[in-house]
Amino acid sequence: MLKWTLNLSAFVLALPMLYIFGCGLYTLYCREWLQFLILLVAEFGCFLLITAGTVIVEAVEWFSGWIAEL
């Protein structure tokens, strides 16, 4: 169930990440450095959410396998 939820959240976050990336490219073109920095932080935050979800799922799987061995 956790893997399914992680996959779903990754698909949900993919569209805003693409939009943020596109806006970031536009702000680079317009040389709006502060807005670019804000978008860069937002993009990094989305990436951290997906990474943290993956770490949690892997930790739960490892822990459940460890409990099953006992």
Side-chain angles (χ1 to χ4, degrees):
M1 177 96 175
L2 275 172
K3 277 190 177 183
W4 184 78
T5 306
L6 179 65
N7 286 337
L8 182 63
S9 66
F11 281 116
V12 169
L13 279 175
L15 288 176
M17 285 179 75
L18 281 173
Y19 181 73
I20 291 170
F21 182 73
C23 290
L25 290 178
Y26 179 72
T27 56
L28 274 177
Y29 175 74
C30 293
R31 297 180 188 200
E32 297 287 337
W33 305 116
L34 182 61
Q35 290 180 8
F36 174 73
L37 181 63
I38 293 169
L39 290 171
L40 185 66
V41 169
E43 186 82 23
F44 187 67
C46 290
F47 178 75
L48 282 180
L49 281 174
I50 293 174
T51 305
T54 304
V55 168
I56 290 170
V57 167
E58 291 299 319
V60 167
E61 284 182 356
W62 178 81
F63 186 71
S64 65
W66 181 70
I67 293 293
E69 289 177 2
L70 293 177

